[in-house]
Amino acid sequence: MTDPIRDEWYPVALVSQLGPEGRDTRLLGEPVRVAWHGGAITVTSGGRSLPSQQRYGHVWACPGTPQRPLFDIPEADQPGRRLVDVGLVRVKCSPLRAVENFLDIAHFPFVHTDILGAEPHTEVGRYDVAIREEVDEVWATKVHFYQPQAAKSAAGGITTEYMYRVPAPTVSILYKTCPPRPGEWDVITLFVQPLDEELCEVWPWMALFDDDTPMTDLIHFQQTIFLQDRSILENQLPHRLPLDPGLEIPTRADLTSVAYRRWLKRRGYTYGAQLVAA
Amino acid sequence: MLPYWTPVALSRDLAPLVVMPVVVDGAELALWRSASGRIAAWADRCPHRGMRLSHGFVRGEALSCIYHGWSYAQSGQCQRIPAHPDLEPPEAIRVPVHRAMESGGVIWVALAEPAALPPALAGLVPLRSVTLDAPFDPAAAGLAESGGAWRGTLAGVAVAVLVQPLPENRCVLHVLADGAATPAALVDASRGVETLRRQAEEALA
């Protein structure tokens, strides 16, 4: 029996910050313990050992039976990139709302004012969105947006190009113009750990071409952005993401979100979702 | 829905260009005042992505959502979507609007057509609003109902107390005091309101 929710891989800890005491946390409403055993990391829930692995700086666990390997981020192994463990931000919101917000650019001028966007540069041009059937992922490409300070390494405003990828229901990967290295993409991910349907821990992680910016500045930059997002995410009604149309009104700028909701519904991924308009 | 006016704030506590959350009959509303001074009470939810409009911002005669800057005219109709500056927003994008009025220095909201006007508060001036984490017991405060308000004295000053019920047995009291009272007497009356709150909450504890 497969289970579209329990069979996914979820982040449960940052390897670099897992101390000898281990970490007691939660996943899909159940208690989970992440601990060192000798040189290895184990993940247990209610006395049961969960399939787990270490990848992209994090410990990943599957509460059910994994139906496929963890998604691949080829750029993670590319030489010359700095891998940034940002840490976690706890957000009182549906894990799906957190992912959807990460896929959205139209909020930049209003939520990340003078950093990722600024009035009057609010227009979202046409971009391409597809559910790539061969890999079963949501992709948005050719996304362009004017940004006053696109990254810690950016000096002054530039038009940034983005690609978004959703390889798993609670994971999003952002590919973004890399100011010091034209032709390459900076990779910024959002790994979301669902504690329960309306509470999550968000683990941003980055693989950047940036040899100059101090690590603490890179981390602070991302934390600033996510704390701004949190003020939105904790104040959306309903708290769960509506998968059926009718309760919320999208526009052309929301095509990624529309595809994400459709893809979630098709997969039967309803954890943190609301199916019927309440 | 209750067919009468509920007091939600003292007029002077809602300055132009300000938006605040209020609760009426269990419904969460965004109460705001435009640059020209007009008040409005709307469902506290942007139809786009469900963000609370009480976190938004007022420019001129419109309220905008803080999430994507969608702005809404006094009618509740969406008038601008910044992501698509050239698009005329469809009529379907509209925030539910409720009745709101100002009378006697108080802002009133009604979810259903009210049967009567708000109480007359002649000769009174706004004193303060206070939230009680307890039900209000007018008899314990020595107040009696008269003309739609609880009236009596606090610290020797004539007052009228208006009750805005909140969920979970909480409430907000909007207190008005005798307009002829001296500033010092009004300070005493204001302390009297604080005492009233403390006694109500302690009685519950």
Side-chain angles (χ1 to χ4, degrees):
Chain A
M1 231 343 234
T2 63
D3 182 321
I5 296 163
R6 301 181 64 82
D7 293 351
E8 291 290 340
W9 290 99
Y10 298 100
V12 289
L14 201 52
V15 176
S16 61
Q17 288 177 12
L18 186 67
E21 72 286 0
R23 178 172 195 256
D24 286 300
T25 179
R26 266 192 309 156
L27 186 57
L28 304 179
E30 291 165 14
V32 161
R33 174 154 180 79
V34 189
W36 290 101
H37 277 275
I41 293 173
T42 61
V43 182
T44 51
S45 178
R48 189 170 61 93
S49 180
L50 303 186
S52 69
Q53 59 181 302
Q54 294 170 42
R55 193 80 175 98
Y56 317 126
H58 291 74
V59 180
W60 298 82
C62 173
T65 309
Q67 301 299 317
R68 50 183 187 175
L70 185 66
F71 57 87
D72 192 26
I73 307 177
E75 294 81 4
D77 302 319
Q78 194 180 359
R81 284 185 187 264
R82 276 171 85 190
L83 308 179
V84 184
D85 297 339
V86 176
L88 75 82
V89 180
R90 178 179 279 220
V91 190
K92 210 173 153 224
C93 74
S94 153
L96 307 180
R97 288 259 191 214
V99 171
E100 183 174 273
N101 173 72
F102 191 75
L103 302 173
D104 180 76
I105 54 173
H107 72 284
F108 289 171
F110 302 98
V111 179
H112 309 299
T113 310
D114 295 336
I115 304 174
L116 299 183
E119 292 182 278
H121 308 282
T122 56
E123 182 162 13
V124 176
R126 286 189 184 278
Y127 57 88
D128 294 340
V129 181
I131 295 175
R132 295 189 179 172
E133 301 291 347
E134 69 282 11
V135 285
D136 199 17
E137 295 184 353
V138 180
W139 277 80
T141 54
K142 298 180 188 162
V143 184
H144 294 87
F145 206 69
Y146 174 86
Q147 301 198 307
Q149 192 192 355
K152 200 67 201 172
S153 59
I158 52 170
T159 294
T160 307
E161 183 173 352
Y162 282 75
M163 293 191 294
Y164 286 98
R165 174 184 168 206
V166 183
T170 66
V171 172
S172 181
I173 302 168
L174 158 64
Y175 300 85
K176 177 175 183 176
T177 313
C178 171
R181 185 96 64 116
E184 295 282 2
W185 300 91
D186 276 339
V187 174
I188 302 175
T189 73
L190 191 74
F191 302 147
V192 181
Q193 176 185 352
L195 301 185
D196 61 42
E197 295 201 67
E198 296 179 12
L199 182 66
C200 60
E201 284 179 338
V202 165
W203 304 87
W205 182 81
M206 305 192 284
L208 310 177
F209 287 110
D210 180 343
D211 297 328
D212 305 323
T213 308
M215 190 61 97
T216 52
D217 289 2
L218 291 172
I219 292 171
H220 284 158
F221 183 82
Q222 285 306 319
Q223 283 181 341
T224 299
I225 299 298
F226 282 100
L227 291 174
Q228 290 173 333
D229 285 321
R230 185 167 72 177
S231 70
I232 298 295
L233 289 167
E234 297 190 340
N235 287 288
Q236 283 176 277
L237 304 169
H239 296 302
R240 298 187 189 191
L241 187 73
L243 295 191
D244 290 322
L247 199 53
E248 298 185 349
I249 305 174
T251 67
R252 207 175 67 230
D254 301 309
L255 288 179
T256 316
S257 128
V258 171
Y260 174 57
R261 292 182 186 198
R262 188 181 300 144
W263 178 77
L264 287 173
K265 190 170 183 191
R266 194 176 84 174
R267 291 170 71 108
Y269 196 95
T270 53
Y271 198 79
Q274 171 172 318
L275 282 173
V276 181
Chain B
M1 289 194 281
L2 304 175
Y4 52 74
W5 293 103
T6 299
V8 293
L10 299 177
S11 290
R12 62 148 189 238
D13 289 340
L14 184 70
L17 306 179
V18 170
V19 55
M20 61 164 76
V22 299
V23 176
V24 175
D25 195 14
E28 296 179 295
L29 307 180
L31 179 72
W32 63 284
R33 190 190 294 279
S34 75
S36 72
R38 294 162 70 179
I39 56 162
W42 293 0
D44 192 7
R45 183 178 177 277
C46 178
H48 174 221
R49 284 292 177 252
M51 180 63 193
R52 287 184 191 278
L53 286 170
S54 56
H55 289 241
F57 54 94
V58 184
R59 284 181 188 162
E61 301 303 300
L63 174 65
S64 298
C65 178
I66 190 62
Y67 198 1
H68 299 94
W70 290 25
S71 73
Y72 298 89
Q74 290 277 335
S75 62
Q77 170 68 40
C78 182
Q79 60 178 20
R80 187 165 183 275
I81 296 176
H84 308 297
D86 300 327
L87 175 80
E88 176 151 346
E91 277 202 29
I93 307 179
R94 178 180 284 273
V95 181
V97 172
H98 299 287
R99 296 167 191 80
M101 70 174 289
E102 291 188 273
S103 165
V106 177
I107 299 174
W108 305 82
V109 171
L111 300 187
E113 182 67 43
L117 288 171
L121 300 166
L124 298 167
V125 293
L127 185 64
R128 63 184 296 188
S129 298
V130 62
T131 301
L132 269 59
D133 288 326
F136 173 55
D137 180 356
L143 301 174
E145 202 278 334
S146 167
W150 298 99
R151 302 184 199 240
T153 60
L154 280 178
V157 177
V159 296
V161 177
L162 307 166
V163 183
Q164 174 190 0
L166 297 180
E168 296 167 6
N169 276 321
R170 300 166 70 243
C171 63
V172 184
L173 304 183
H174 304 283
V175 184
L176 297 94
D178 181 359
T182 65
L186 291 176
V187 169
D188 289 343
S190 180
R191 291 197 182 119
V193 175
E194 191 53 33
T195 303
L196 192 155
R197 179 192 66 77
R198 200 177 60 242
Q199 287 172 345
E201 293 180 355
E202 283 172 356
L204 192 69

Coordinates of all heavy atoms in Angstrom, one line a residue, chain A residues 97 100-101 104 106-107 110-111 119 122-124 231-232 235-239 247-254 257-258 261, chain B residues 28 44-52 55 57 59 65-70 80-87 92-94:
Chain A
R97 N 1.6 26.2 2.3 CA 1.6 27.6 2.2 C 3.0 28.2 2.1 O 3.4 29.1 1.4 CB 0.9 28.3 3.3 CG -0.7 28.1 3.3 CD -1.3 29.4 2.8 NE -2.8 29.4 3.0 CZ -3.6 30.0 2.2 NH1 -3.2 30.5 1.1 NH2 -4.9 30.0 2.4
E100 N 4.4 27.5 -1.4 CA 3.8 28.3 -2.4 C 4.3 29.7 -2.3 O 4.5 30.4 -3.3 CB 2.3 28.3 -2.2 CG 1.6 29.1 -3.3 CD 0.1 29.0 -3.3 OE1 -0.4 28.1 -3.9 OE2 -0.6 29.9 -2.7
N101 N 4.5 30.3 -1.1 CA 5.0 31.6 -0.9 C 6.4 31.7 -1.6 O 6.8 32.7 -2.2 CB 5.1 32.0 0.5 CG 5.8 33.3 0.8 OD1 5.3 34.4 0.5 ND2 7.0 33.3 1.3
D104 N 6.5 32.4 -5.3 CA 5.8 33.7 -5.7 C 6.8 34.8 -5.8 O 7.6 35.0 -4.9 CB 4.8 34.0 -4.6 CG 4.0 35.2 -4.9 OD1 3.1 35.2 -5.7 OD2 4.3 36.3 -4.2
A106 N 5.6 38.0 -7.0 CA 4.8 39.3 -7.1 C 4.8 40.0 -5.7 O 4.5 41.2 -5.6 CB 3.4 39.0 -7.5
H107 N 5.1 39.2 -4.6 CA 5.1 39.9 -3.3 C 6.4 40.6 -3.0 O 6.5 41.3 -2.0 CB 4.8 38.8 -2.2 CG 5.9 37.9 -1.9 ND1 6.3 36.8 -2.7 CD2 6.8 37.8 -0.9 CE1 7.3 36.1 -2.2 NE2 7.6 36.7 -1.0
F110 N 6.5 44.3 -1.9 CA 5.7 44.7 -0.7 C 6.1 44.0 0.6 O 6.0 44.6 1.6 CB 4.2 44.4 -1.0 CG 3.7 45.1 -2.2 CD1 3.6 44.4 -3.5 CD2 3.4 46.4 -2.2 CE1 3.2 45.1 -4.6 CE2 2.9 47.1 -3.3 CZ 2.9 46.4 -4.5
V111 N 6.7 42.8 0.5 CA 7.1 42.1 1.6 C 8.6 42.2 1.8 O 9.1 42.4 3.0 CB 6.7 40.6 1.6 CG1 7.1 39.9 2.8 CG2 5.2 40.5 1.4
E119 N 8.6 49.2 -5.4 CA 7.7 50.0 -6.3 C 8.6 51.0 -7.0 O 9.5 51.5 -6.4 CB 6.6 50.6 -5.5 CG 5.6 49.6 -4.9 CD 4.5 50.3 -4.1 OE1 4.7 50.6 -3.0 OE2 3.4 50.5 -4.7
T122 N 6.8 46.6 -10.2 CA 5.9 45.6 -9.6 C 5.4 44.6 -10.7 O 4.8 43.6 -10.3 CB 4.7 46.2 -8.9 OG1 4.0 47.0 -9.9 CG2 5.1 47.1 -7.8
E123 N 5.6 44.9 -11.9 CA 5.0 44.1 -13.0 C 5.7 42.7 -13.0 O 6.9 42.6 -13.0 CB 5.1 44.7 -14.3 CG 4.4 43.9 -15.4 CD 4.1 44.8 -16.7 OE1 4.6 45.9 -16.8 OE2 3.3 44.3 -17.5
V124 N 4.8 41.7 -13.2 CA 5.3 40.3 -13.4 C 5.0 40.0 -14.9 O 3.8 39.8 -15.2 CB 4.7 39.3 -12.5 CG1 5.1 37.9 -12.8 CG2 5.0 39.6 -11.0
S231 N 5.8 36.8 8.5 CA 4.7 37.7 8.9 C 3.5 37.6 8.0 O 2.4 37.8 8.4 CB 5.2 39.2 8.9 OG 5.4 39.6 7.6
I232 N 3.7 37.1 6.8 CA 2.6 36.8 5.8 C 2.0 35.5 6.2 O 0.8 35.3 6.4 CB 3.1 36.8 4.4 CG1 3.7 38.2 4.0 CG2 2.0 36.4 3.4 CD1 2.7 39.3 4.0
N235 N -0.5 34.7 8.7 CA -1.8 35.5 8.7 C -2.6 35.3 7.5 O -3.3 36.2 7.0 CB -1.4 37.0 8.8 CG -1.0 37.3 10.3 OD1 -1.8 37.4 11.2 ND2 0.3 37.5 10.5
Q236 N -2.5 34.1 6.9 CA -3.3 33.8 5.7 C -4.5 32.9 6.2 O -4.4 32.0 7.0 CB -2.5 33.0 4.7 CG -1.6 33.9 3.8 CD -0.8 33.1 2.9 OE1 0.3 32.6 3.3 NE2 -1.2 33.0 1.6
L237 N -5.7 33.2 5.6 CA -6.9 32.5 6.0 C -7.5 31.9 4.7 O -7.7 32.7 3.8 CB -7.9 33.4 6.7 CG -7.4 34.2 7.9 CD1 -8.4 35.3 8.3 CD2 -7.2 33.2 9.0
P238 N -7.9 30.7 4.7 CA -7.7 29.7 5.8 C -6.3 29.3 5.9 O -5.4 29.6 5.1 CB -8.5 28.5 5.2 CG -8.5 28.6 3.8 CD -8.5 30.1 3.5
H239 N -5.9 28.7 7.1 CA -4.6 28.4 7.3 C -4.1 27.3 6.4 O -2.9 27.3 6.0 CB -4.4 27.9 8.8 CG -4.7 29.0 9.8 ND1 -4.0 30.2 9.8 CD2 -5.6 29.1 10.7 CE1 -4.6 31.0 10.7 NE2 -5.5 30.3 11.3
L247 N -12.0 29.6 -3.6 CA -11.8 30.3 -2.4 C -10.8 31.4 -2.5 O -10.9 32.4 -1.8 CB -11.3 29.3 -1.3 CG -11.5 29.8 0.2 CD1 -12.9 30.2 0.5 CD2 -11.0 28.7 1.1
E248 N -9.9 31.3 -3.5 CA -8.9 32.3 -3.7 C -8.8 32.6 -5.2 O -9.1 31.7 -6.0 CB -7.5 31.9 -3.2 CG -7.6 31.7 -1.7 CD -6.2 31.4 -1.0 OE1 -5.2 31.1 -1.8 OE2 -6.2 31.4 0.2
I249 N -8.5 33.8 -5.6 CA -8.5 34.3 -7.0 C -7.1 34.5 -7.5 O -6.5 35.5 -7.1 CB -9.3 35.6 -7.1 CG1 -10.7 35.4 -6.5 CG2 -9.4 36.0 -8.5 CD1 -11.6 36.6 -6.4
P250 N -6.6 33.6 -8.4 CA -5.3 33.8 -8.9 C -5.3 34.7 -10.2 O -6.4 34.9 -10.8 CB -4.8 32.4 -9.3 CG -6.1 31.7 -9.6 CD -7.2 32.4 -8.8
T251 N -4.1 35.3 -10.5 CA -4.0 36.0 -11.8 C -2.8 35.3 -12.6 O -2.3 34.3 -12.1 CB -3.7 37.5 -11.6 OG1 -2.4 37.6 -11.0 CG2 -4.7 38.1 -10.7
R252 N -2.5 35.9 -13.7 CA -1.4 35.3 -14.5 C -0.1 35.2 -13.8 O 0.7 34.2 -14.0 CB -1.2 36.2 -15.7 CG -0.7 35.5 -17.0 CD -0.7 36.4 -18.2 NE 0.3 37.5 -18.0 CZ 0.0 38.7 -18.1 NH1 -1.1 39.2 -18.5 NH2 1.0 39.6 -18.0
A253 N 0.2 36.1 -12.8 CA 1.4 36.0 -12.1 C 1.5 34.8 -11.2 O 2.5 34.4 -10.7 CB 1.6 37.3 -11.2
D254 N 0.3 34.2 -10.9 CA 0.2 33.0 -10.0 C 0.2 31.7 -10.7 O -0.2 30.7 -10.1 CB -1.1 33.2 -9.2 CG -1.2 34.5 -8.4 OD1 -0.2 34.8 -7.7 OD2 -2.2 35.2 -8.5
S257 N 1.8 28.9 -8.8 CA 1.0 28.4 -7.7 C -0.2 27.6 -8.2 O -0.5 26.6 -7.5 CB 0.6 29.6 -6.9 OG -0.8 29.7 -6.6
V258 N -0.8 28.0 -9.3 CA -1.9 27.2 -9.8 C -1.5 25.8 -10.2 O -2.1 24.8 -9.9 CB -2.5 27.9 -11.0 CG1 -3.6 27.1 -11.7 CG2 -3.2 29.3 -10.6
R261 N -0.7 23.7 -7.0 CA -2.0 23.2 -6.3 C -2.5 22.0 -7.1 O -3.0 21.0 -6.6 CB -3.0 24.3 -6.2 CG -2.6 25.4 -5.2 CD -3.6 26.5 -5.1 NE -3.1 27.6 -4.2 CZ -3.9 28.5 -3.6 NH1 -5.2 28.4 -3.8 NH2 -3.4 29.4 -2.9
Chain B
E28 N -14.1 38.5 11.9 CA -12.9 39.3 11.9 C -12.9 40.3 10.8 O -13.1 39.9 9.6 CB -11.7 38.3 11.8 CG -11.6 37.4 13.0 CD -10.4 36.4 12.8 OE1 -10.4 35.6 11.9 OE2 -9.5 36.5 13.6
D44 N -11.8 40.7 6.9 CA -10.3 40.8 7.1 C -9.5 39.8 6.3 O -8.8 39.0 6.8 CB -10.0 40.7 8.6 CG -8.5 41.2 8.8 OD1 -7.9 41.7 7.9 OD2 -8.1 41.0 10.0
R45 N -9.8 39.8 5.0 CA -9.2 38.7 4.1 C -9.1 39.2 2.7 O -10.1 39.5 2.1 CB -10.0 37.5 4.3 CG -9.5 36.3 3.5 CD -10.3 35.0 3.7 NE -9.7 34.0 2.9 CZ -10.0 33.8 1.6 NH1 -10.8 34.6 1.0 NH2 -9.4 32.9 1.0
C46 N -7.9 39.2 2.1 CA -7.8 39.5 0.7 C -8.2 38.4 -0.1 O -7.8 37.2 0.1 CB -6.3 39.9 0.4 SG -6.0 40.3 -1.3
P47 N -9.1 38.6 -1.1 CA -9.6 37.4 -1.9 C -8.5 36.7 -2.7 O -8.8 35.6 -3.2 CB -10.7 38.1 -2.8 CG -10.8 39.5 -2.4 CD -9.7 39.8 -1.5
H48 N -7.4 37.4 -2.9 CA -6.3 36.8 -3.7 C -5.7 35.6 -3.1 O -5.8 34.4 -3.6 CB -5.3 37.9 -4.0 CG -4.1 37.4 -4.8 ND1 -2.8 37.8 -4.5 CD2 -4.0 36.5 -5.8 CE1 -2.0 37.2 -5.3 NE2 -2.6 36.4 -6.1
R49 N -5.0 35.8 -2.0 CA -4.3 34.7 -1.3 C -4.6 34.6 0.2 O -3.8 34.1 1.0 CB -2.8 34.8 -1.5 CG -2.4 34.3 -3.0 CD -2.6 32.9 -3.1 NE -2.3 32.3 -4.5 CZ -3.3 31.9 -5.3 NH1 -4.6 32.1 -5.0 NH2 -2.9 31.4 -6.5
G50 N -5.8 35.2 0.6 CA -6.2 35.0 2.0 C -5.5 35.8 3.0 O -5.7 35.6 4.2
M51 N -4.6 36.7 2.6 CA -3.9 37.5 3.7 C -4.8 38.5 4.4 O -5.7 39.0 3.8 CB -2.8 38.3 3.0 CG -1.9 39.1 3.9 SD -1.0 38.1 5.1 CE -0.5 39.4 6.3
R52 N -4.6 38.6 5.7 CA -5.4 39.6 6.5 C -5.2 41.0 6.0 O -4.0 41.5 5.9 CB -5.0 39.5 7.9 CG -5.4 38.3 8.7 CD -5.0 38.4 10.2 NE -5.2 37.2 10.8 CZ -6.4 36.7 11.3 NH1 -7.5 37.5 11.2 NH2 -6.5 35.6 11.9
H55 N -3.4 43.8 8.0 CA -1.9 44.1 8.0 C -1.6 45.0 6.8 O -0.4 45.2 6.6 CB -1.2 42.7 7.8 CG -1.3 41.9 9.1 ND1 -0.1 41.5 9.7 CD2 -2.3 41.3 9.8 CE1 -0.4 40.7 10.8 NE2 -1.8 40.6 10.8
F57 N -2.0 48.5 4.0 CA -1.7 49.9 4.2 C -2.7 50.7 3.4 O -3.3 50.3 2.4 CB -0.3 50.1 3.7 CG 0.0 49.7 2.3 CD1 -0.1 50.5 1.2 CD2 0.4 48.3 2.1 CE1 0.2 50.1 -0.1 CE2 0.7 47.9 0.8 CZ 0.6 48.8 -0.3
R59 N -3.5 54.1 1.3 CA -3.0 55.2 0.5 C -4.2 55.9 -0.1 O -5.0 55.3 -0.8 CB -2.1 54.7 -0.6 CG -0.7 54.3 -0.2 CD 0.1 53.9 -1.4 NE 1.4 53.3 -0.9 CZ 2.1 52.5 -1.7 NH1 1.8 52.3 -2.9 NH2 3.3 52.1 -1.2
C65 N -3.5 45.4 0.2 CA -3.1 44.2 0.9 C -1.5 44.3 1.0 O -0.9 44.6 0.0 CB -3.5 42.9 0.2 SG -2.9 41.4 0.9
I66 N -1.0 43.9 2.1 CA 0.5 43.9 2.3 C 1.2 42.8 1.5 O 2.4 43.0 1.2 CB 0.9 43.8 3.8 CG1 2.3 44.2 4.0 CG2 0.5 42.5 4.4 CD1 2.7 45.5 3.6
Y67 N 0.5 41.8 1.1 CA 1.2 40.7 0.5 C 1.6 41.0 -1.0 O 2.8 40.9 -1.3 CB 0.2 39.4 0.5 CG 0.9 38.1 0.3 CD1 2.3 38.0 0.1 CD2 0.2 36.9 0.3 CE1 2.9 36.8 -0.1 CE2 0.8 35.7 0.1 CZ 2.2 35.6 -0.1 OH 2.8 34.4 -0.3
H68 N 0.6 41.4 -1.8 CA 0.9 41.7 -3.2 C 0.5 43.1 -3.6 O 0.5 43.4 -4.8 CB 0.3 40.6 -4.1 CG 0.7 39.2 -3.9 ND1 0.0 38.4 -3.0 CD2 1.8 38.5 -4.3 CE1 0.6 37.2 -3.0 NE2 1.7 37.3 -3.7
G69 N 0.1 43.9 -2.7 CA -0.3 45.3 -3.0 C -1.6 45.5 -3.7 O -1.9 46.6 -4.2
W70 N -2.4 44.4 -3.8 CA -3.7 44.6 -4.5 C -4.5 45.7 -3.7 O -4.6 45.6 -2.5 CB -4.5 43.3 -4.5 CG -4.0 42.3 -5.4 CD1 -2.7 42.1 -5.8 CD2 -4.7 41.2 -6.0 NE1 -2.6 41.0 -6.6 CE2 -3.8 40.4 -6.8 CE3 -6.1 40.8 -5.9 CZ2 -4.2 39.3 -7.5 CZ3 -6.5 39.7 -6.7 CH2 -5.6 38.9 -7.4
R80 N -6.7 47.8 -8.4 CA -5.3 47.7 -9.0 C -4.6 46.5 -8.5 O -4.6 46.1 -7.4 CB -4.5 49.0 -8.6 CG -3.2 49.0 -9.3 CD -2.5 50.4 -9.2 NE -1.3 50.4 -10.0 CZ -0.1 50.0 -9.5 NH1 0.0 49.6 -8.2 NH2 1.0 50.0 -10.2
I81 N -4.0 45.8 -9.5 CA -3.1 44.6 -9.2 C -1.7 45.0 -9.7 O -1.5 45.0 -10.9 CB -3.7 43.4 -9.9 CG1 -5.1 43.0 -9.4 CG2 -2.7 42.2 -9.8 CD1 -5.8 41.9 -10.1
P82 N -0.8 45.3 -8.8 CA 0.5 45.8 -9.2 C 1.3 44.8 -10.1 O 2.0 45.3 -10.9 CB 1.2 46.0 -7.9 CG 0.1 46.3 -6.9 CD -1.0 45.4 -7.3
A83 N 1.1 43.5 -10.0 CA 1.8 42.6 -10.8 C 1.3 42.8 -12.3 O 2.1 42.4 -13.2 CB 1.5 41.1 -10.4
H84 N 0.1 43.3 -12.5 CA -0.4 43.5 -13.9 C -0.9 45.0 -13.9 O -2.1 45.2 -13.9 CB -1.5 42.5 -14.2 CG -1.1 41.1 -13.9 ND1 0.0 40.5 -14.6 CD2 -1.5 40.2 -13.1 CE1 0.1 39.3 -14.2 NE2 -0.8 39.0 -13.2
P85 N 0.0 45.9 -14.0 CA -0.4 47.4 -13.9 C -1.4 47.8 -15.0 O -2.2 48.7 -14.8 CB 0.9 48.1 -14.1 CG 2.0 47.1 -14.0 CD 1.4 45.8 -14.2
D86 N -1.4 47.1 -16.2 CA -2.3 47.5 -17.3 C -3.7 46.7 -17.2 O -4.5 47.0 -18.0 CB -1.6 47.2 -18.6 CG -0.4 48.0 -18.7 OD1 -0.3 49.1 -18.2 OD2 0.6 47.5 -19.3
L87 N -3.8 45.8 -16.3 CA -5.0 45.0 -16.2 C -6.1 45.8 -15.4 O -5.9 46.3 -14.3 CB -4.7 43.7 -15.6 CG -5.9 42.8 -15.3 CD1 -6.3 42.0 -16.6 CD2 -5.6 41.7 -14.2
A92 N -15.4 40.6 -10.2 CA -15.5 39.5 -9.2 C -14.5 39.6 -8.0 O -14.7 39.0 -7.0 CB -15.3 38.1 -9.9
I93 N -13.5 40.4 -8.2 CA -12.5 40.6 -7.2 C -12.9 41.7 -6.3 O -12.7 42.9 -6.6 CB -11.1 40.8 -7.7 CG1 -10.7 39.8 -8.7 CG2 -10.1 40.9 -6.6 CD1 -9.3 39.9 -9.4
R94 N -13.6 41.4 -5.2 CA -14.2 42.3 -4.3 C -14.2 41.8 -2.9 O -14.4 40.6 -2.6 CB -15.7 42.4 -4.8 CG -16.6 43.3 -4.1 CD -18.0 43.3 -4.7 NE -18.0 44.1 -6.0 CZ -18.3 45.4 -6.0 NH1 -18.5 46.1 -4.9 NH2 -18.3 46.0 -7.2

